[in-house]
Amino acid sequence: MIYLDHAATTPVRPEVLEAMHPYFLERFGNASSLHASGLEARKAIEGARELIARVIGAAPQEVVFTSGGTESDNMAVRGVLHNNCDQHDHVITSMIEHPAVLETCQAIEKLGHEVTYVPVDGEGRVNPSDVERAIKDNTRLISIMHANNEIGSIQPIAEIGAIAAAHNVYMHTDAVQSVGKIPVNVNDLNVNMLSLSAHKIYGPKGIGCLYVRKGTPLRPLVFGGGHERGLRSGTENVPGIVGLSKATQCAMADFSDNTRIQSLRDILIDTVLHEIADTRLNGGREHRLPNNANFSFSYIEGESLVLRLNAKGVAASTGSACSSKKLEPSHVLLAIGLDPVDAHGSLRLTLGRGTTHADIEYVCEILPSIVDELRQMSPLYACKEDVYRQPE
Ligand SMILES: *Cc1c(COP(=O)(O)O)cnc(C)c1O
């Protein structure tokens, strides 16, 4: 199997599994216990917190462990809003956020808060001046993702963060896709909060963290025994935390592999655009994650493409894994201006550390004929042929 769906999830690295292993077995203690076993778990958690903090330029106390990217996003958006019924806050986000942010924003709208969804340009980028113009007296939070999970577009977060700071508005960014692929530093990015998830960087599923800058008035979503300085109760996922930390360290050690991945990705993009007519690359070539390629092939459906690729041993995705079960076209592709029909014909290929030149060659070899076959069966393609025949 050639796995080209690294934006959906990644395999756990052997080193990560190895680091986690003892915390399932001989070091299984509860970090709140006062005996040796508990102290060992506590030490592991605090060591992990320190290492992760160092990577993103934070202080250890500013890292809160959560169950992953989704919980971190929920916590960031909901946690800074006023909780009294008569105070209605305003939140600014973008039209292409991950559902973890978008659906949370829709939920807080139902509670009476107000949300502005700023548009993106044809390459999937937010214009910082649109964000600035949207700021109002009651704007409490700006939440814009660092890099998009579907089309890989990278947002000008440092600039937007500076605007937020100048207007005394809290700034959150979802860096789940960007960490390990482009530099992620909370000070350079001017953010108050930042979400991370382990399973997108060769760590385990179900663990992540939220960076919370000192002084950010965050309220918890999960109440209980007061873990994580009261911000996120629940017995800590010690193996997961150790795994997240190890995965983060490994991502930094391997950072230069992104150059290799990017050059493979560029071969893929160039070949596909050259070999297959009526194809577009979604998202720009600049300001794009090094491992992301997202195409729209007119006249066909992404789902059939993904199934055909799967039959030939290639794991790919249409739009994003989250939206592929719904039949609506991707909100991201619509936001960059695709019509719903073209949005349906989209294919996301996301490369990773295991991707080889031979893998990309194979995909480049089989994709044109798969697209061609599907087009031959497509009523839309038949209509197109008719249009061309008309003048004769
Ligand atoms: C995967 C992803 C998430 C969700 O993270 P989980 O750990 O799976 O909950 C959030 N945001 C982005 C951009 C993602 O790609």
Side-chain angles (χ1 to χ4, degrees):
M1 177 62 105
I2 295 175
Y3 186 79
L4 292 177
D5 204 11
H6 291 84
T9 195
T10 57
V12 172
R13 280 174 183 260
E15 310 94 293
V16 169
L17 185 60
E18 202 181 314
M20 293 169 69
H21 196 255
Y23 295 94
F24 288 108
L25 299 169
E26 65 268 27
R27 299 186 209 158
F28 61 88
N30 182 322
S32 300
S33 302
L34 293 177
H35 47 68
S37 171
L39 297 178
E40 219 164 34
R42 172 58 53 201
K43 212 172 122 191
I45 292 174
E46 299 316 322
R49 199 189 306 279
E50 232 167 87
L51 288 170
I52 294 163
R54 195 174 306 155
V55 167
I56 60 171
Q61 320 83 267
E62 296 175 314
V63 173
V64 179
F65 292 113
T66 66
S67 66
T70 300
E71 187 185 333
S72 296
D73 286 349
N74 272 261
M75 190 173 175
V77 173
R78 299 192 85 125
V80 292
L81 301 184
H82 290 101
N83 210 11
N84 43 340
C85 308
D86 45 42
Q87 192 150 10
H88 292 160
D89 293 319
H90 175 232
V91 174
I92 301 170
T93 188
S94 84
M95 288 174 71
I96 65 163
E97 295 301 305
H98 188 274
V101 167
L102 278 185
E103 298 280 325
T104 304
C105 284
Q106 280 154 24
I108 60 158
E109 279 183 291
K110 294 206 177 86
L111 296 176
H113 298 293
E114 208 186 324
V115 182
T116 300
Y117 302 87
V118 296
V120 292
D121 65 17
E123 303 201 330
R125 295 191 90 220
V126 169
N127 182 345
S129 53
D130 285 347
V131 176
E132 184 154 38
R133 244 175 288 134
I135 295 175
K136 310 199 288 186
D137 286 345
N138 64 335
T139 305
R140 181 81 167 163
L141 174 74
I142 297 170
S143 177
I144 309 266
M145 70 202 316
H146 194 195
N148 184 267
N149 46 300
E150 294 189 36
I151 58 173
S153 56
I154 299 166
Q155 304 299 341
I157 296 303
E159 225 176 304
I160 299 170
I163 291 169
H167 289 82
N168 286 314
V169 173
Y170 298 110
M171 174 79 197
H172 165 249
T173 194
D174 175 335
V176 170
Q177 289 288 342
S178 56
V179 71
K181 303 190 186 85
I182 55 173
V184 171
N185 178 293
V186 296
N187 301 310
D188 295 344
L189 292 175
N190 298 314
V191 293
N192 300 88
M193 293 176 286
L194 179 142
S195 303
L196 294 181
S197 173
H199 77 97
K200 305 286 174 77
I201 54 168
Y202 309 95
K205 294 168 182 63
I207 186 74
C209 66
L210 180 68
Y211 157 75
V212 186
R213 188 178 291 277
K214 190 169 177 278
T216 309
L218 196 72
R219 285 177 302 103
L221 294 186
V222 179
F223 298 87
H227 309 76
E228 297 296 289
R229 296 184 302 116
L231 280 171
R232 207 284 189 172
S233 287
T235 302
E236 298 89 340
N237 176 355
V238 186
I241 290 168
V242 169
L244 169 64
S245 166
K246 186 69 180 178
T248 309
Q249 304 309 302
C250 291
M252 292 307 128
D254 269 9
F255 199 82
S256 63
D257 193 38
N258 286 307
T259 315
R260 182 191 69 87
I261 292 172
Q262 178 159 350
S263 61
L264 292 180
R265 191 277 314 269
D266 289 340
I267 294 172
L268 175 66
I269 292 179
D270 292 338
T271 313
V272 167
L273 293 181
H274 183 255
E275 299 285 320
I276 309 177
D278 298 319
T279 299
R280 59 168 279 168
L281 176 70
N282 297 314
R285 295 205 66 153
E286 234 192 308
H287 308 295
R288 179 180 202 110
L289 287 178
N291 73 327
N292 175 291
N294 186 315
F295 304 102
S296 282
F297 303 100
S298 306
Y299 319 114
I300 60 175
E301 299 224 328
E303 284 78 11
S304 357
L305 201 46
V306 167
L307 295 177
R308 291 279 176 118
L309 283 169
N310 181 56
K312 291 194 183 279
V314 177
S317 170
T318 161
S320 77
C322 308
S323 59
S324 63
K325 284 214 185 87
K326 308 178 197 163
L327 279 174
E328 302 126 50
S330 143
H331 67 286
V332 177
L333 298 180
L334 296 180
I336 62 171
L338 265 70
D339 66 54
V341 177
D342 279 343
H344 267 304
S346 79
L347 177 73
R348 181 184 71 182
L349 298 169
T350 43
L351 290 63
R353 55 189 295 267
T355 309
T356 65
H357 188 261
D359 293 345
I360 296 305
E361 264 186 342
Y362 176 70
V363 173
C364 290
E365 198 182 295
I366 63 169
L367 194 54
S369 57
I370 295 178
V371 170
D372 193 48
E373 275 168 39
L374 291 172
R375 280 180 175 168
Q376 293 308 324
M377 300 189 299
S378 159
L380 293 169
Y381 195 60
C383 294
K384 178 216 170 187
E385 303 272 89
D386 283 346
V387 169
Y388 284 141
R389 264 185 234 118
Q390 265 171 8
E392 291 172 24

